[in-house]
Amino acid sequence: MTNPILELRNIRASYGSIEVLHGVNLSIGRGEVVALLGPNGAGKSTMIKVVSGLLRPTSGQLIVGGRDVTGAAANALARAGLCTIPEGRGIFPNLTVRENLLMATYSGHKLSDIEERTYARFPRLSERRTQLAGTMSGGEQQMLSLARALATNPVILLLDELSMGLAPLIVAELYQQVAAIAAEGVSVLVVEQFARTVLGVADQAVLLAHGKVQVSGKASDIGEDVLAGAYLGS
Amino acid sequence: MNEDRIQTFTEEIGELKLRGARADRERWLLILGGLGLVAGVGLAIFGGFQASGTTNLGDQVAFLATGTLIGLALVIAGAALFIRYSIARFMRFWLVRLVHEHRSETDRVISALKEIETKLNK
Ligand SMILES: Nc1ncnc2c1ncn2[C@@H]1O[C@H](COP(=O)(O)OP(=O)(O)OP(=O)(O)O)[C@@H](O)[C@H]1O
Ligand SMILES: [Mg+2]
């Protein structure tokens, strides 16, 4: 087993004087999909913010590619290949699909290459290349934000609630794509509130509640009973 | 994904600069500017009073030189720092606001268009 590409060690984080993460540990290997589950307000998005460098932890270490990068700037991490798709939308709604992809060319890839790869992966976007992104369906918008993220050739991908407000069938389709992305060697950390679909594609699962890891282990070992206990109990 | 990509990734991560949070430094420079400004004004006034309190020309020049001139220099440097960082703050805030407003504007236009569309289809 090679060294983990991403590791959180005893991370504490707070907003002002309110501590939200109370010592969280996590480790992701290359090409691994880790599902981060937990109820509303558990601190999942906060964890994504810490990993992406947007929020500085009050203590603990963030280790990327074997190096302690706690306190590194988010833009520098992103440029190196740590890509985040935030909660809500990661696209420009008032630009067309094609213009959105054009925005990803800052990473140094040619638009034609990006378009080719995107339309191969998401044929549905190819029919809509001149449509305003904001007028597409929610699922298509998420496909576009995935495509934009992939255009930057990331090594680590952070996804925050990809499924928000989408029909289960569309969610399943999106997660098939996530699995395909991981199969190419990209390490993925997925935040989800509803677990079933994501557990199907995840290798590991981590259950967060009240800012602490309650359960972690192989995704296949996390059963409905464990989940129900964590969501409903205490 | 190939080994090369991982290689360049770890290299780039290795070269990252880990300076403390920038926001902190900015705040300190802003405060420093403010302090310099106040101290400068104080020093200038002090020098002026001392100078007018004596009739000895040599003393007057000395007071003006150490008090008033250094004070003025501090005022200018402090003001520059202060203005530079408070404008940066303001501009950033303003930009975020603009982006935000632009987004909600687009949302409104899109929902209006949708409404029109459904009405036309009826
Ligand atoms: N910017 C902020 N300022 C202050 N408190 C915040 C901020 N963002 C989040 N919080 C608080 O931190 C806690 C954790 O929030 P977080 O967004 O990480 O939860 P989450 O697990 O992502 O929840 P959800 O499933 O609803 O997205 C919550 O109690 C929330 O109110
Ligand atoms: Mg969240």
Side-chain angles (χ1 to χ4, degrees):
Chain A
M1 180 73 199
T2 47
N3 292 328
I5 193 100
L6 173 73
E7 213 180 337
L8 301 190
R9 288 192 194 149
N10 207 15
I11 288 281
R12 288 173 177 272
S14 43
Y15 296 105
S17 58
I18 300 172
E19 191 174 85
V20 174
L21 295 179
H22 317 288
V24 173
N25 292 292
L26 180 84
S27 144
I28 304 184
R30 276 176 52 183
E32 206 173 32
V33 179
V34 176
L36 182 58
L37 312 170
N40 283 123
K44 304 181 299 289
S45 299
T46 306
M47 218 156 129
I48 294 283
K49 280 187 213 161
V50 169
V51 174
S52 59
L54 286 174
L55 182 68
R56 226 178 127 91
T58 43
S59 72
Q61 291 170 298
L62 169 65
I63 295 172
V64 177
R67 175 163 184 239
D68 185 346
V69 293
T70 323
N75 55 353
L77 286 172
R79 218 172 302 125
L82 193 150
C83 183
T84 315
I85 298 183
E87 207 168 5
R89 56 181 137 178
I91 56 164
F92 301 98
N94 43 349
L95 299 183
T96 65
V97 169
R98 197 150 180 275
E99 287 163 343
N100 264 281
L101 294 176
L102 184 65
M103 288 299 187
T105 54
Y106 76 88
S107 58
H109 297 82
K110 286 219 303 272
L111 178 62
S112 52
D113 294 347
I114 292 178
E115 277 195 287
E116 196 182 308
R117 273 189 289 153
T118 300
Y119 300 148
R121 204 187 282 276
F122 304 104
R124 219 185 302 179
L125 292 180
S126 128
E127 302 155 17
R128 301 181 178 275
R129 54 185 88 183
T130 56
Q131 187 174 338
L132 280 189
T135 64
M136 295 196 301
S137 76
E140 287 158 356
Q141 292 191 26
Q142 287 296 33
M143 284 176 198
L144 181 57
S145 48
L146 267 179
R148 246 165 50 83
L150 293 176
T152 63
N153 196 9
V155 172
I156 302 174
L157 190 60
L158 310 172
L159 300 173
D160 197 351
E161 305 224 15
L162 202 58
S163 68
M164 199 149 59
L166 299 181
L169 207 65
I170 312 260
V171 176
E173 196 183 323
L174 281 171
Y175 277 119
Q176 285 316 309
Q177 291 300 335
V178 171
I181 291 162
E184 288 167 19
V186 180
S187 309
V188 191
L189 177 63
V190 230
V191 166
E192 266 306 331
Q193 216 189 111
F194 299 104
R196 206 156 305 149
T197 333
V198 66
L199 282 180
V201 297
D203 303 298
Q204 273 192 74
V206 174
L207 216 152
L208 199 70
H210 308 295
K212 277 190 184 143
V213 174
Q214 309 290 338
V215 184
S216 76
K218 287 226 313 257
S220 48
D221 294 345
I222 306 248
E224 298 281 322
D225 46 334
V226 179
L227 290 173
Y231 280 83
L232 305 173
S234 67
Chain B
M1 186 176 4
N2 49 28
E3 286 300 319
D4 282 0
R5 179 67 186 103
I6 298 286
Q7 184 78 28
T8 50
F9 176 69
T10 40
E11 268 165 24
E12 274 178 54
I13 290 288
E15 284 161 13
L16 283 188
K17 285 203 199 77
L18 294 180
R19 252 184 281 126
R22 234 179 86 82
D24 260 14
R25 195 175 48 137
E26 240 181 74
R27 208 175 119 238
W28 282 114
L29 283 172
L30 186 67
I31 292 173
L32 191 73
L35 285 181
L37 193 61
V38 172
V41 170
L43 209 59
I45 291 174
F46 178 74
F49 270 114
Q50 291 286 321
S52 56
T54 172
T55 49
N56 182 329
L57 194 65
D59 279 355
Q60 279 186 347
V61 170
F63 278 131
L64 283 179
T66 53
T68 310
L69 286 184
I70 294 178
L72 278 180
L74 263 178
V75 168
I76 292 169
L81 267 183
F82 190 78
I83 291 171
R84 151 78 179 77
Y85 285 101
S86 42
I87 286 184
R89 263 186 174 201
F90 177 72
M91 291 302 230
R92 205 173 296 130
F93 171 74
W94 194 55
L95 191 68
V96 170
R97 216 195 132 91
L98 273 184
V99 169
H100 189 78
E101 275 179 359
H102 193 198
R103 277 196 163 175
S104 51
E105 191 63 30
T106 316
D107 284 352
R108 270 201 294 273
V109 169
I110 285 172
S111 66
L113 281 176
K114 276 197 177 134
E115 228 165 80
I116 293 171
E117 205 176 1
T118 49
K119 286 211 172 114
L120 284 180
N121 284 341
K122 261 183 207 159

